[in-house]
Amino acid sequence: SILDQNTLIYFYGKDDKELRTFIKANFIVGKFGFTKTRIDKNNFIVIYNKWVQTVKSTIAVNWDNVKKKGLIEGDFYLADLLSNDNITLKDKLFVVLKATKYELNRHLDEYGAFSSSSVEFNDQQKAHTQFWNKYERPPLEQYWDYIVERRDLLVPQDVRERKGSFFTPQIWVELSQKYLTDVLGEDWQDEYYVWDCAAGTGNLLTGLTNKYNIWASTLDKQDVEVIKDRIKNGANLLEDHVFQFDFLNDDFSKLPKPLQEIIHNPEKRKKLVVYINPPYAEATDGIGKGGRKIDVSKETSVYKTYGGILGKAKNELFAQFLIRIFKELGGATIANFSKLKFFQSPNFVELQKFFKAKLLRIFIVPADTFDNVTGKFPIGFMIWDTKQQEEFRCCIADIYEKSSEVAGKKSIHSQHGSTYINQWIKKYLADDKNSIGYLAYLGNDFQHIAEVRITSTIPISHISTISINQNNLIVGCVYLAVRHSIKATWLNDRDQFLFPTKKWEKDKEFQNDCLVFVLFHGQNRISSKEGVNHWIPFTETEVNSREKFESNFMSKFINGKLKIEENADLYNGKTIKTTEKLEFSPEAKAVFDAGRELWRYYHLQTECNVNASLYDIREYFQGRNDKGKMKNKSNDEKYMKLITDLRDSLKILAQKIEPKVYEYEFLKI
């Protein structure tokens, strides 16, 4: 019975976040006793939602009948919350907790005696006990009256909500409000005014407590009706504070007079928080009649007024929101969700120069935690103080994974004054004479990493290409290795690769590691079906080839036996110079060894092509599906072991290359 009453029980998976938080707070050397979660005016609604999921169903009552009496689930929660040792401390509540049961409908009967009805638990109070063992109750007495007065916040909201792209998940709404509390203070909701000028159906405002200080505007009249419908079902907003307003086109004279008084008063404006998750649409995202793309951003008044300031960022709707707030609501605090383009995109450099506001806090989360989003990129929540003039240079963002657990921190740098990796690689342009292939590339970030590859011919697309010959082979391999040695994730998706320092030029081991990485990487798409394959890294003897290769370029280059002459034919011309033999690191040699075993096994096949590339070998064993895409696996167990060994050794080599990517400043730490 002691264990039943005092043990804190957490479930793996369901309670993962709370369990981790509890362990970090309590499993500390030298600490005695344990710390429970403290309840206050800012988190009592969040805890209520957890209480509904855990405790409500164990209360032996007919909820429909309870509601007919004017009571709500929240009344039982308040009885629990404002109690000590399961005895409610505040008498003037609709429901009170008396040890193992609730009392309600308390009144004086016809005899003048105090009478009440009682409600017990259907599980011997186990769920109730386990739930409240995790929390410190009651809250500090200074919050009691406030929490009771805000009973309306506990009214159930069973309403429809139209979900658009990037509808803010409640988990991030709650986290953003916690950050606002950390930055603006515990009483910020009473001291500040809040305006969500891109409110949609108003879910970003869920959890805020002072409805007299909250305004919500949205472009869509139907959304206004949805919010007002929510208000009838208990949403903590005032109908007169919810209105239709086109923030990118309408004049502020259309705002409700109380809100106008705030924005036109410089002192009151300093207490305004513009709290938004604005639309992320950009130029040509819209679709016009007949399927024709239209520019969704160029038609706005803000675009026409501030286009010169915004530069290329004017095509982004969220940038238009930011510039109008900054220019016309100066002094306000901006609390916004958005992609990280403001910080990392070259198109936002001009806006950064003008948008001089101090970034107070930022966290980033995976975009695919938002409804209808499948992309793997970060979305950030930023708090800006426009009273403090400061041009953005760098910040440290808190990282949260899907579980809402803190996953570390990330440095985010401005791209002001930066030059990019594609500007660097263009220094090494070569004509097609003596070409052994092409380096195809697109963009400077991880987002476009799939387009970076080595090909036999020039791709028929908008991808940029550079011809590769013996003079720029190492540089081309450095480029591809730098961009592929670090795995693309949602977190680094928008990170920009930069023009490096010259230190890499003296690091021969790094250069040779990059060459080996490219020779055996999956993005080396050289194929003997598209011309002579100059990329076989072995001699015929090493792989027991049945015939002589059409080209021994790569093995000669590696072994210092490639004779070259400026402007001479690469294979048949008069030679006056021999390349240097390359020395390889143990990690690179391991890749060579694994690759050699794969080539030998392939050359045992009766139908092998002696000039096959790695891409050809993979295609031979793995085949293609009905859509023409290469399959991921092969039925040949021997091959699967060999290709797995090769990939494993390549991963180790990638780990060796990665630190050099940052050391030579291809990426900023």
Side-chain angles (χ1 to χ4, degrees):
S1 61
I2 294 174
L3 290 175
D4 287 341
Q5 290 298 315
N6 295 283
T7 302
L8 279 72
I9 297 178
Y10 294 92
F11 293 90
Y12 277 95
K14 185 178 72 172
D15 296 331
D16 182 71
K17 177 185 175 182
E18 291 182 321
L19 176 56
R20 291 176 181 271
T21 300
F22 177 80
I23 291 172
K24 288 177 182 178
N26 291 284
F27 283 69
I28 301 171
V29 175
K31 186 179 188 300
F32 295 93
F34 54 83
T35 302
K36 297 182 180 182
T37 301
R38 172 71 70 176
I39 302 174
D40 57 32
K41 60 188 293 186
N42 294 300
N43 67 3
F44 79 97
I45 297 173
V46 175
I47 294 171
Y48 166 68
N49 292 330
K50 298 178 185 295
W51 179 92
V52 169
Q53 297 173 11
T54 305
V55 179
K56 176 186 171 183
S57 62
T58 68
I59 301 174
V61 68
N62 185 309
W63 290 106
D64 290 333
N65 291 339
V66 166
K67 291 176 182 178
K68 290 178 182 179
K69 298 292 184 180
L71 298 176
I72 59 173
E73 295 96 328
D75 291 319
F76 291 80
Y77 170 70
L78 291 177
D80 283 354
L81 181 60
L82 301 177
S83 68
N84 188 20
D85 292 332
N86 281 344
I87 301 296
T88 301
L89 302 174
K90 199 170 179 65
D91 289 331
K92 294 182 179 179
L93 295 176
F94 298 112
V95 179
V96 295
L97 178 63
K98 295 291 186 180
T100 61
K101 62 183 180 181
Y102 296 99
E103 288 187 353
L104 56 153
N105 296 334
R106 295 180 298 154
H107 61 280
L108 294 175
D109 62 19
E110 56 184 310
Y111 302 107
F114 192 80
S115 179
S116 66
S117 302
S118 63
V119 174
E120 297 181 346
F121 296 89
N122 57 27
D123 70 340
Q124 289 77 49
Q125 208 174 353
K126 286 185 178 180
H128 181 273
T129 299
Q130 292 173 7
F131 180 84
W132 286 113
N133 278 349
K134 301 175 185 178
Y135 301 100
E136 190 70 42
R137 58 173 177 150
L140 296 177
E141 192 168 355
Q142 66 195 65
Y143 300 130
W144 291 9
D145 289 339
Y146 178 85
I147 291 173
V148 173
E149 289 171 2
R150 304 315 318 214
R151 171 181 177 270
D152 58 302
L153 300 178
L154 307 179
V155 175
Q157 296 184 22
D158 185 18
V159 296
R160 62 183 176 88
E161 292 179 317
R162 294 194 296 119
K163 297 181 179 180
S165 295
F166 302 99
F167 181 93
T168 319
Q170 193 61 32
I171 187 174
W172 306 135
V173 171
E174 293 172 4
L175 186 62
S176 68
Q177 292 173 13
K178 178 184 181 299
Y179 271 61
L180 282 166
T181 300
D182 292 342
V183 170
L184 302 178
E186 196 170 84
D187 298 320
W188 77 276
Q189 295 190 47
D190 296 323
E191 297 175 0
Y192 285 80
Y193 308 101
V194 178
W195 180 18
D196 184 351
C197 56
T201 56
N203 80 301
L204 191 59
L205 302 173
T206 301
L208 296 182
T209 57
N210 191 348
K211 63 184 176 184
Y212 297 99
N213 283 6
I214 303 171
W215 279 266
S217 63
T218 181
L219 176 65
D220 192 345
K221 185 178 180 181
Q222 292 177 319
D223 282 343
V224 174
E225 296 304 315
V226 170
I227 297 176
K228 290 185 175 180
D229 187 33
R230 292 183 60 200
I231 292 172
K232 293 176 183 178
N233 287 273
N236 186 45
L237 298 167
L238 295 176
E239 282 202 27
D240 291 343
H241 285 197
V242 179
F243 54 97
Q244 184 180 9
F245 185 75
D246 184 348
F247 189 81
L248 299 183
N249 289 293
D250 289 345
D251 189 85
F252 285 163
S253 61
K254 295 183 179 181
L255 299 175
K257 288 185 178 180
L259 185 54
Q260 286 192 49
E261 292 174 1
I262 294 170
I263 67 173
H264 292 311
N265 183 320
E267 291 305 313
K268 288 187 176 180
R269 200 163 62 237
K270 292 178 182 178
K271 291 293 184 179
L272 175 64
V273 177
V274 183
Y275 181 35
I276 53 173
N277 183 6
Y280 300 165
E282 58 184 287
T284 70
D285 273 359
I287 301 295
K289 292 181 179 180
R292 179 180 61 84
K293 285 191 173 184
I294 61 174
D295 196 324
V296 297
S297 58
K298 291 182 179 178
E299 299 175 356
T300 70
S301 175
V302 171
Y303 181 98
K304 296 171 183 176
T305 303
Y306 300 117
I309 295 173
L310 289 166
K312 293 182 179 180
K314 61 190 175 185
N315 292 329
E316 304 277 354
L317 289 185
F318 85 88
Q320 294 185 28
F321 272 83
L322 288 180
I323 197 62
R324 186 178 190 189
I325 297 168
F326 181 78
K327 285 287 291 181
E328 300 180 27
L329 298 175
T333 299
I334 305 174
N336 70 288
F337 285 90
S338 77
K339 298 178 183 179
L340 300 187
K341 287 185 177 182
F342 175 88
F343 306 104
Q344 297 179 307
S345 172
N347 291 340
F348 278 71
V349 170
E350 292 302 316
L351 177 58
Q352 285 180 12
K353 294 178 184 177
F354 188 85
F355 187 87
K356 293 183 178 180
K358 184 176 180 62
L359 181 62
L360 302 177
R361 289 289 298 276
I362 176 174
F363 69 76
I364 54 179
V365 301
D368 60 3
T369 58
F370 288 65
D371 291 323
N372 302 325
V373 181
T374 57
K376 302 294 184 181
F377 59 90
I379 289 179
F381 176 73
M382 310 110 195
I383 303 177
W384 304 88
D385 182 359
T386 65
K387 295 186 291 297
Q388 301 186 57
Q389 302 293 297
E390 182 179 293
E391 185 175 338
F392 174 78
R393 290 297 183 185
C394 179
C395 69
I396 305 296
D398 297 328
I399 304 167
Y400 289 86
E401 294 286 357
K402 294 180 181 180
S403 62
S404 78
E405 276 296 308
V406 179
K409 295 183 182 295
K410 178 179 175 62
S411 297
I412 301 175
H413 299 268
S414 167
Q415 301 306 321
H416 178 63
S418 298
T419 49
Y420 300 94
I421 195 169
N422 289 345
Q423 294 169 276
W424 169 72
I425 193 62
K426 288 177 182 177
K427 289 176 52 183
Y428 302 95
L429 290 174
D431 57 33
D432 286 343
K433 186 178 181 180
N434 300 330
S435 174
I436 62 169
Y438 297 88
L439 170 66
Y441 61 94
L442 181 67
N444 294 289
D445 53 19
F446 281 93
Q447 180 185 6
H448 296 95
I449 202 69
E451 309 300 338
V452 178
R453 56 187 182 269
I454 301 292
T455 61
S456 299
T457 59
I458 299 176
I460 305 175
S461 68
H462 63 288
I463 297 175
S464 300
T465 56
I466 287 179
S467 178
I468 298 176
N469 60 28
Q470 76 275 7
N471 297 317
N472 65 358
L473 171 61
I474 292 295
V475 174
C477 290
V478 168
Y479 179 97
L480 188 140
V482 161
R483 295 199 64 176
H484 278 288
S485 59
I486 301 172
K487 184 179 179 180
T489 67
W490 72 268
L491 190 58
N492 64 21
D493 184 73
R494 296 300 193 264
D495 288 2
Q496 302 287 324
F497 288 90
L498 304 173
F499 198 115
T501 65
K502 290 186 176 182
K503 292 181 180 179
W504 73 272
E505 296 175 2
K506 298 180 180 179
D507 191 340
K508 294 298 182 181
E509 183 171 282
F510 168 71
Q511 295 173 24
N512 295 342
D513 283 344
C514 290
L515 170 65
V516 175
F517 182 86
V518 172
L519 289 175
F520 297 95
H521 194 268
Q523 285 298 90
N524 185 332
R525 302 292 183 87
I526 293 291
S527 173
S528 61
K529 297 177 181 179
E530 298 175 343
V532 177
N533 174 19
H534 302 291
W535 292 75
I536 302 175
F538 308 109
T539 64
E540 291 89 345
T541 302
E542 284 183 283
V543 297
N544 300 320
S545 173
R546 301 182 182 206
E547 297 288 346
K548 183 176 175 55
F549 299 150
E550 287 183 312
S551 170
N552 294 108
F553 169 86
M554 195 60 65
S555 62
K556 288 181 178 180
F557 182 87
I558 291 170
N559 291 292
K561 296 181 179 180
L562 183 66
K563 297 179 180 181
I564 57 175
E565 179 186 5
E566 188 175 359
N567 300 322
D569 184 280
L570 185 59
Y571 309 106
N572 302 313
K574 185 178 179 181
T575 60
I576 60 173
K577 182 181 178 182
T578 303
T579 54
E580 297 179 1
K581 184 175 181 179
L582 305 184
E583 298 294 331
F584 295 106
S585 66
E587 293 84 356
K589 290 178 180 178
V591 175
F592 265 119
D593 292 342
R596 190 181 299 105
E597 291 303 313
L598 177 62
W599 248 269
R600 285 176 176 174
Y601 182 64
Y602 172 74
H603 279 273
L604 292 175
Q605 311 304 310
T606 56
E607 299 178 358
C608 75
N609 170 13
V610 294
N611 295 299
S613 65
L614 175 61
Y615 189 75
D616 295 330
I617 294 173
R618 290 172 53 221
E619 183 181 33
Y620 174 85
F621 285 107
Q622 295 172 211
R624 295 184 179 273
N625 60 23
D626 54 0
K627 295 182 180 180
K629 186 177 180 179
M630 191 181 296
K631 297 177 182 178
N632 294 325
K633 296 182 179 180
S634 170
N635 294 327
D636 189 314
E637 294 183 2
K638 174 73 172 178
Y639 165 77
M640 288 304 299
K641 182 183 185 305
L642 293 172
I643 194 69
T644 299
D645 291 344
L646 176 59
R647 289 168 178 167
D648 288 344
S649 62
L650 202 64
K651 289 177 183 177
I652 295 172
L653 182 60
Q655 292 170 1
K656 182 172 185 290
I657 293 171
E658 180 175 348
K660 298 294 183 71
V661 175
Y662 294 98
E663 180 181 344
Y664 302 142
E665 298 184 20
F666 288 98
L667 285 173
K668 288 185 179 179
I669 297 178

